[in-house]
């Protein structure tokens, strides 16, 4: 066990590992933490991450309610363009390959899943001019990829859609607008490089 853990720490490191088992959260808390962390790691372009849920050996029936709740949320996040692939790494952990940022906007919405949170702030005017310019550039890249010719007509609604998707990933302890600008630059690079 010690050797496998050492290899995991070497490969994934602390930045790309979330250990839910260590804090013994409720299933609801675990799912909320996992989703927020995965969205943040996706925006940081972390690639593959390790999500440790624990096996549940001391749980009733030997099945971890945290693990079961996280498995369901991972499936939902895959449909919503956050997760590209999930593979059981060990009986108590998952190796999760995060989707590129552009997958957030390409993912179809399902009726059962809640819509993304409304943009905060409601108006993009509260953002700095530099941030709005990056958001406009990202929206234009997205519309261009879709083959939209009259981009000006749809630009504002696309900017709001892009902002809403990214705002859901901003960590609470981050400098929100600086983090948003970095995420916008990475997303633009995905469009321009791809």
């Amino acid at each position: 066990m010690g050797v496998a853990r050492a290899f995991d720490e070497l490969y994934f490191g602390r930045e790309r590992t979330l250990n839910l088992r260590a804090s013994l959260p409720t299933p609801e808390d675990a799912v909320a933490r996992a989703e927020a962390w995965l969205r943040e790691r996706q925006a940081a372009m972390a690639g593959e991450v390790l999500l440790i849920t624990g096996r549940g050996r001391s749980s009733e029936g030997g099945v971890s309610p945290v693990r079961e709740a996280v498995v369901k949320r991972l499936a939902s996040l895959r449909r919503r363009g956050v997760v590209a692939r999930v593979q059981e790494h060990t009986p108590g952990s998952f190796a999760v390959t995060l989707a590129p940022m552009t997958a957030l906007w390409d993912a179809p919405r399902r009726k059962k899943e809640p819509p993304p949170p409304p943009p905060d702030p409601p108006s993009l005017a509260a953002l700095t001019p530099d941030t709005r310019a990056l958001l406009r550039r990202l929206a234009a890249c997205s519309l261009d990829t879709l083959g939209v010719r009259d981009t000006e007509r749809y630009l504002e609604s696309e900017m709001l859609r892009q902002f809403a998707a990214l705002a859901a990933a901003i960590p609470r302890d981050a400098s929100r607008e600086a983090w948003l600008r970095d995420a916008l630059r990475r997303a633009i690079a995905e469009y321009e490089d791809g």
Side-chain angles (χ1 to χ4, degrees):
M1 257 333 219
V3 173
R5 187 173 298 149
F7 278 113
D8 286 346
E9 287 179 17
L10 182 65
Y11 179 75
F12 292 103
R14 287 188 176 163
E15 290 294 312
R16 295 188 307 136
T17 302
L18 176 62
N19 187 348
L20 295 169
R21 181 183 64 206
S23 62
L24 301 174
T26 65
E28 295 79 19
D29 290 340
V31 164
R33 280 186 56 205
E35 180 169 347
W37 184 77
L38 288 167
R39 286 179 176 278
E40 188 273 327
R41 294 288 75 210
Q42 178 191 30
M45 299 177 86
E48 187 177 35
V49 297
L50 181 65
L51 184 57
I52 302 170
T53 60
R55 295 180 193 194
R57 287 189 288 188
S58 57
S59 298
E60 187 176 317
V63 177
S64 167
V66 166
R67 179 180 168 82
E68 296 301 310
V70 168
V71 166
K72 287 179 184 173
R73 185 56 57 99
L74 287 171
S76 172
L77 290 172
R78 186 170 184 179
R79 288 188 301 271
R80 292 187 277 159
V82 176
V83 169
R85 187 171 72 101
V86 177
Q87 181 177 352
E88 187 175 58
H89 182 66
T90 66
S93 68
F94 298 96
V96 179
T97 304
L98 298 166
M101 298 273 295
T102 53
L104 286 172
W105 302 289
D106 298 336
R109 295 280 171 237
R110 292 177 47 158
K111 290 181 183 177
K112 292 192 317 187
E113 293 177 346
D120 179 27
S123 166
L124 298 177
L127 300 173
T128 65
D130 289 344
T131 304
R132 283 196 313 274
L134 286 168
L135 191 56
R136 176 177 287 277
R137 188 168 154 202
L138 177 60
C141 287
S142 174
L143 291 170
D144 184 54
T145 300
L146 294 171
V148 175
R149 292 178 192 233
D150 185 12
T151 57
E152 282 303 315
R153 182 176 175 184
Y154 302 103
L155 201 56
E156 185 176 346
S157 62
E158 184 64 12
M159 287 172 70
L160 287 168
R161 189 172 76 92
Q162 302 281 0
F163 177 77
L166 289 172
I170 298 175
R172 295 191 191 287
D173 60 346
S175 169
R176 296 175 68 82
E177 194 153 352
W179 189 96
L180 177 62
R181 279 192 301 274
D182 288 343
L184 287 166
R185 286 184 191 102
R186 287 189 294 268
I188 290 166
E190 278 185 26
Y191 275 112
E192 291 176 348
D193 294 343

